[in-house]
Structure formats: C-alpha cells, structure tokens
Amino acid sequence: MSFELSLNTGTTPNLTLEEAVEAVATSGLKHIGPWRHLLEQAGGAEKAAALIAGAGLTATTLCRGGFLTPADHQGRRAALESNRAAIREAAMIGTAELIMVVGGLPAAAHLLAGSGGAAQKMSADKDILGARGRVAEGLAELVPYAAEHGVRLVLEPLHPMYAADRAVLSTLGEALDLAAPHPAETVGVVVDTFHVWWDPQLREMIARAGAEQRIASYQVCDFNLPLAADALKSRGMMGDGYVDFPTISRWVAEAGYTGPVEVEIFNQAINDQDAATTLETMTQRYEQLVLPALRGSVPALDAPVR
Amino acid sequence: MSFELSLNTGTTPNLTLEEAVEAVATSGLKHIGPWRHLLEQAGGAEKAAALIAGAGLTATTLCRGGFLTPADHQGRRAALESNRAAIREAAMIGTAELIMVVGGLPAAAHLLAGSGGAAQKMSADKDILGARGRVAEGLAELVPYAAEHGVRLVLEPLHPMYAADRAVLSTLGEALDLAAPHPAETVGVVVDTFHVWWDPQLREMIARAGAEQRIASYQVCDFNLPLAADALKSRGMMGDGYVDFPTISRWVAEAGYTGPVEVEIFNQAINDQDAATTLETMTQRYEQLVLPALRGSVPALDAPVR
C-alpha cells in the first residue's frame, strides 16, 4: 500500500517507545518514526527493534543525525561519532532513512547546550558559508559508512527561523545541491511541510527531488500562528494552520513519491493530550487534507475542516 | 557621501515625526525613513515634508505600501487606493523609494485585523500561489501611477516566518522575478539583513539585484534568538544576534550599491529606550560592523563587539 501513515514520536513526546508502539498498533496504523533517545531509554536499538517488530510495526525513519557544524576539531569528531552510532541504530531498527538536521552557527551553539552536547560558551563565529562547508565535508565523511550499513542520510531543510541555531540548510534546493555529489540511495531529502511550504521554488524542487530519486520521506504538519513562545513548538495539526496540504501533497505525488507519510508535530497542547486522541485526529485530517491529493483527487481548498 | 546612515522610525516607535526628526538632527545623522502613520499624525505629508526639510534632513524611504493579496474585489480596490495615496505621500516628502510589504494569505488576514483594515473573519484561502499572482497583478496596476509620480515601488522580501500573515514574498530572487517585467526605476527591491541573511542564494541574488539596478535600499538589523514573544519584535541591534554583517555588506557594496543604509529595529527593549541612546549605539555598531565592509575593508569575523 502506498502513502501509509506513520507516527513520528516527536508528536507524542511523553510516551516511552513501548507506549508509543502500543498506541500506534492500537490505532490500526503500521508505522512509527522514533527519536534516538527513545531507543536508548528502551535499552538500546536491538531491544527497540524487537519492540517495534513485535507489535507488527515498521520504522519509517530514525530521528536524528546531523549537527555537523562545530568549528573545532573535537566537536567535529564527536559529531561524526554520534552520526555513525545513529547509522548503526537506523540499520538495527530496520529503517533505511536517517533524518539529518545539519546544525546551526557556532555562535548559536550555546542556545542548544541544554539539549545535547553543544558548546557552553558563546562563539563569535557567525559565518554561515563556513558552517555549510563543514556540513558538506561531514556528509562526505559519513557517506561510505552509511552505504555499508544500507542507510540513507536524509537531509532535512529546516524553516529559516531555525537557520542560526539548528540548521544552516533552509531550502529543498540547497539540500539537493548538497546531496548531488553522492548516490541517491545514500543521500536523500525529506519534504516537511512546516519547513518548506513558503518556498517559491517548492514545486520545482519537489519535482527535481523526485526526478533525482531523493525523496526519502514526506512529513506533514501545519504552520501555526502566532508562533509558540518556544518557536520549535509552532507546528500544528494539519488544517489548524496555514499550509496548503492538497497542493503540496499533489506535487509530492506527481514527483513519484509513494512511501509512508509521517506526522511530526511539536506543539504543547497536542504533545500533552492523550495519544489515542492525537492518532485519531491526525488520521482524520490526513484522510481529509493529504491523502486525496496524494491519490490524485484534490478536495476544494475551501472545504471546511471536519 | 556614500553609505550614510538613516533612522527608520520603526526603531523609535514612541516618537512623533517631529521628535524623531529632532533626535536624528541632534545625533548628527542626515536621513530618516518614516512610517506613514507618522505623516498622518503630523498633519499630512505636506507638513511632514516641511518638518523633515526644515531640520535639514532627507527622507530615504517611506514605509510602507503593499498588502496587495486580498482575494475579494473590494479588498483589492481598497489596497490599490491605499497604495496610490502612499505613492503621492512618498513624492511629497521627497523620497523616490516606497517600501512594499506585499501581504499574506487571506486565511491569515484576520490576524492583522487590529493593525489596519484587514478582514475580520477567517478565510479558508491558503492558496499562496494565488496570493502571489494577485501581488503581481496589483504591482502591474500601480506601476504607471508610481512612474508618473517619480516613485519606485520597492519590493521587500520578508523572512519566511511572516509568509502567512505579512508577505508571501520571501526571497530576493522571487522579488527580482516579480520586478522583472517593470522598469528598474519604477520597481526595486530592498535588502534587509533580518529577512534574507539565511538565504543560500543571497550572494548571487544581491549581485543580480545590483546588475539589474534594482537595489533601492539596504536595511540593517540583527536576527535575535530566542524569538520574541511577538515574532515581529525579534529584530536586534547589529552585533547582538546572528547576522554576518561584514559578509553581506561586502556583497551589497560589490553589487554597486552606494546609497543610504537604514536601521529598522522592532525590539521592545530598544523601542522603549531613549532615542539618543539608540542613535548612538546604532551609529557605533554601524561603523564597526557594516561600514568597513561597505567601504571594502572587512574586519575579522571574530572581532569583539565594543
């Protein structure tokens, strides 16, 4: 079956992997996209793999590798080591798709220090071109290792509001340029509606990504306004914000993508609610706003949200 | 003189035009970029022109026209009328440069209803391609009127975080494509560091803008993190955020721009402080981080901010 729905565990951050797997299986869905810390909490990738397979699910992606922008030797080496571990974990849980958030400017690394290993002291380095160069170098170093493990490094362009602290990679076109030196089976891209919906080159770049066989995942969630106090949590349930899902979904289908569709929503209210409710709502909204366009029957833009 | 500094009154929103003019003149600067509501408060564009000229200042821009995206006939007609008034006001205060914020999606118009004439009821229209089409149409309608008045319509690409509610125009490349059918003396673009610093095509598009004679204004302010609770106020004093001013300023100079440089900072703390302090700090930071690169002597990226 094409276009099967998958729960990214970022949508249900209060659940353990075991709880998330059970919620997904109970809801009738067949796919899950876990974050790495859930694998660790579950006792490692092997146990996580057993949990996922034991419930009859498959893993659609692993979130996440990346953060390849440290300017110092030690930081770069640690980043590569972490990415190699992520590659092994992806292979172990049976997904070929390792999502890569490439990292931000050294000057902003202290902002994420609380959430994992970044620098504690503010650097003066605001050189975005240099940071992008280090991403390209790190990627080239990781490609052979990923290929050996049958894993694809999936570049995720992030919304430009995160360019300083999370990803100096902001557009699908730039992701495809970065992927270009490498085989399509080892470096791909993810189309995440929240991050790319505003891009004037979106249609053209989705078509290019398809033609180059690089679309590794389609992730859907909405762009809400006003932005949340924590900007990361501005993602919304499909239909609640400003993304034109029928149009973008049609472009993704026209580009030849037929794989699973992941729902990844960082949003305090959704994250805090009962997972069964979230799974029910996301399935309804998906079937209303996304799936018809993927299948080639586009609902009217002004159809009311149920 | 090239590269003279100008105060955009968005940086000192608590001042009347008279007060802002006085603060600028006292600080030794020679230029001001007023917002339209200050003209109205001052008793109209003619009186505003007298205030500005009376203090020996020149107006570098007028903020702002635009909001050309209403989907209904009445909304479009009102938008064109408002823009024609803005064109006349720009001519009257003696600036050729009318900054245009093109407008967002009809579905988000209710969010700005409090700040001027937008729809009160939420529309379901999230069609960004349609909205962009209406911007192109509105622009074409306004060009002859602007040309008659010797005014240039200056397209401002806004940061993609404002694509839903303020401007469906997000990149300099897209602005240049939109300008392309029209003469360079009647449709230009503004390079505002806050909005475009993250763009992977920035260098190339600044060069193109210069080659096409379309750079009407260079506006500097920083991109601060974390984003402000009101996302519009995330702009910062140069040096306080993550923008690489020496690099972008060098590109602007290489593109042949030699005009004034405007400082437009929406930031609660800066907006609330004494205008003399703001003018002093912005002049210092400008001379340290921006002007040397414009003049071709680029300070080291890791030079400490004074």
Side-chain angles (χ1 to χ4, degrees):
Chain A
M1 275 291 291
S2 299
F3 309 125
E4 290 188 340
L5 202 52
S6 176
L7 176 76
N8 182 290
T9 65
T11 310
T12 54
N14 298 327
L15 303 190
T16 64
L17 183 62
E18 187 167 7
E19 290 165 344
V21 160
E22 189 185 330
V24 170
T26 303
S27 79
L29 298 186
K30 297 174 190 158
H31 308 285
I32 191 165
W35 278 63
R36 288 183 70 195
H37 62 273
L38 291 195
L39 273 50
E40 195 185 333
Q41 285 167 10
E46 199 168 348
K47 288 188 180 167
L51 274 177
I52 294 168
L57 305 186
T58 65
T60 46
T61 63
L62 178 64
C63 279
R64 61 189 186 196
F67 287 88
L68 293 168
T69 52
D72 62 301
H73 181 71
Q74 193 183 347
R76 277 201 296 273
R77 201 165 52 182
L80 291 173
E81 212 36 70
S82 172
N83 277 282
R84 288 191 195 99
I87 288 166
R88 294 191 297 272
E89 290 166 22
M92 201 165 293
I93 65 165
T95 179
E97 316 295 359
L98 175 62
I99 303 294
M100 303 283 284
V101 172
V102 303
L105 302 174
H110 66 291
L111 295 174
L112 297 189
S115 60
Q120 300 296 320
K121 204 182 71 177
M122 183 164 175
S123 151
D125 183 347
K126 302 175 186 178
D127 177 8
I128 196 168
L129 303 185
R132 288 183 184 137
R134 292 191 296 280
V135 172
E137 288 167 18
L139 191 65
E141 285 220 47
L142 292 170
V143 160
Y145 193 82
E148 277 171 33
H149 288 77
V151 167
R152 175 148 65 173
L153 304 169
V154 180
L155 300 169
E156 178 159 23
L158 254 56
H159 193 285
M161 79 173 92
Y162 309 123
D165 58 344
R166 295 179 187 272
V168 292
L169 178 63
S170 302
T171 65
L172 198 53
E174 194 187 2
L176 290 168
D177 289 349
L178 193 54
H182 308 292
E185 57 272 22
T186 311
V187 182
V189 298
V190 45
V191 178
D192 180 315
T193 52
F194 177 90
H195 293 308
V196 301
W197 71 274
W198 56 271
D199 184 350
Q201 299 176 327
L202 187 59
R203 181 180 198 163
E204 181 188 347
M205 288 303 130
I206 289 175
R208 177 182 161 198
E212 296 177 0
Q213 307 288 324
R214 302 229 187 234
I215 305 180
S217 180
Y218 180 39
Q219 296 187 342
V220 292
C221 84
D222 217 327
F223 182 91
N224 281 6
L225 284 179
L227 295 177
D230 174 355
L232 199 66
K233 298 197 173 171
S234 300
R235 299 168 70 106
M237 185 60 73
M238 297 80 79
D240 287 355
Y242 297 97
V243 170
D244 176 357
F245 286 101
T247 300
I248 298 176
S249 299
R250 193 181 71 235
W251 294 343
V252 169
E254 285 171 356
Y257 183 75
T258 57
V261 180
E262 239 177 81
V263 176
E264 184 187 36
I265 307 178
F266 310 133
N267 173 302
Q268 203 61 55
I270 292 171
N271 294 168
D272 287 345
Q273 80 187 355
D274 177 62
T277 305
T278 298
L279 281 154
E280 188 185 339
T281 307
M282 75 183 228
T283 302
Q284 279 175 1
R285 296 290 181 87
Y286 175 69
E287 289 175 355
Q288 181 187 7
L289 292 170
V290 180
L291 188 58
L294 288 171
R295 289 197 176 139
S297 97
V298 181
L301 267 168
D302 56 358
V305 169
R306 278 191 305 220
Chain B
M1 276 290 289
S2 298
F3 309 127
E4 290 189 340
L5 201 52
S6 176
L7 176 76
N8 182 291
T9 65
T11 309
T12 54
N14 299 327
L15 303 191
T16 63
L17 182 64
E18 188 166 9
E19 290 165 344
V21 160
E22 190 185 330
V24 169
T26 303
S27 79
L29 299 185
K30 297 176 191 156
H31 307 285
I32 191 166
W35 278 63
R36 288 183 71 195
H37 62 274
L38 291 194
L39 274 47
E40 195 185 332
Q41 286 167 11
E46 199 168 347
K47 290 188 180 163
L51 274 177
I52 294 169
L57 305 186
T58 65
T60 45
T61 62
L62 177 65
C63 281
R64 63 185 186 202
F67 287 87
L68 293 168
T69 50
D72 61 301
H73 180 71
Q74 194 184 346
R76 278 201 297 274
R77 200 164 54 182
L80 291 173
E81 211 38 67
S82 170
N83 276 283
R84 288 191 195 100
I87 289 166
R88 292 191 299 271
E89 291 166 21
M92 203 165 293
I93 65 166
T95 179
E97 316 296 357
L98 175 63
I99 304 292
M100 303 282 284
V101 172
V102 303
L105 301 174
H110 66 291
L111 295 173
L112 297 189
S115 61
Q120 300 296 321
K121 204 182 71 178
M122 183 166 176
S123 150
D125 183 347
K126 302 175 186 177
D127 176 8
I128 195 168
L129 304 185
R132 288 182 184 137
R134 291 191 296 278
V135 172
E137 288 169 16
L139 191 65
E141 285 218 46
L142 292 171
V143 161
Y145 194 82
E148 275 171 36
H149 288 78
V151 168
R152 176 149 64 172
L153 305 169
V154 181
L155 299 169
E156 178 159 22
L158 255 57
H159 192 287
M161 80 173 89
Y162 308 123
D165 57 345
R166 294 180 188 273
V168 293
L169 177 63
S170 302
T171 66
L172 198 51
E174 192 188 4
L176 290 168
D177 289 348
L178 194 53
H182 308 291
E185 59 272 22
T186 310
V187 182
V189 298
V190 45
V191 178
D192 180 316
T193 52
F194 177 90
H195 293 308
V196 301
W197 71 274
W198 56 271
D199 184 351
Q201 299 177 328
L202 186 58
R203 181 179 198 162
E204 180 189 347
M205 289 303 131
I206 288 175
R208 176 183 160 197
E212 297 178 358
Q213 307 288 325
R214 301 225 188 237
I215 306 181
S217 180
Y218 180 40
Q219 297 187 342
V220 292
C221 86
D222 217 328
F223 183 92
N224 281 7
L225 285 180
L227 296 177
D230 174 355
L232 198 66
K233 299 199 173 167
S234 300
R235 298 167 73 105
M237 186 60 73
M238 297 79 80
D240 287 354
Y242 298 96
V243 170
D244 176 357
F245 287 100
T247 300
I248 298 176
S249 298
R250 194 181 73 236
W251 295 343
V252 168
E254 286 171 356
Y257 184 75
T258 57
V261 180
E262 237 176 84
V263 176
E264 183 186 37
I265 307 178
F266 311 132
N267 173 303
Q268 201 62 55
I270 293 172
N271 294 167
D272 287 347
Q273 81 187 354
D274 178 62
T277 305
T278 299
L279 280 154
E280 188 185 339
T281 307
M282 76 183 227
T283 302
Q284 280 174 1
R285 297 290 181 88
Y286 175 69
E287 289 174 355
Q288 181 188 8
L289 293 171
V290 180
L291 188 57
L294 287 171
R295 289 198 177 139
S297 96
V298 181
L301 266 170
D302 55 0
V305 170
R306 279 190 303 220

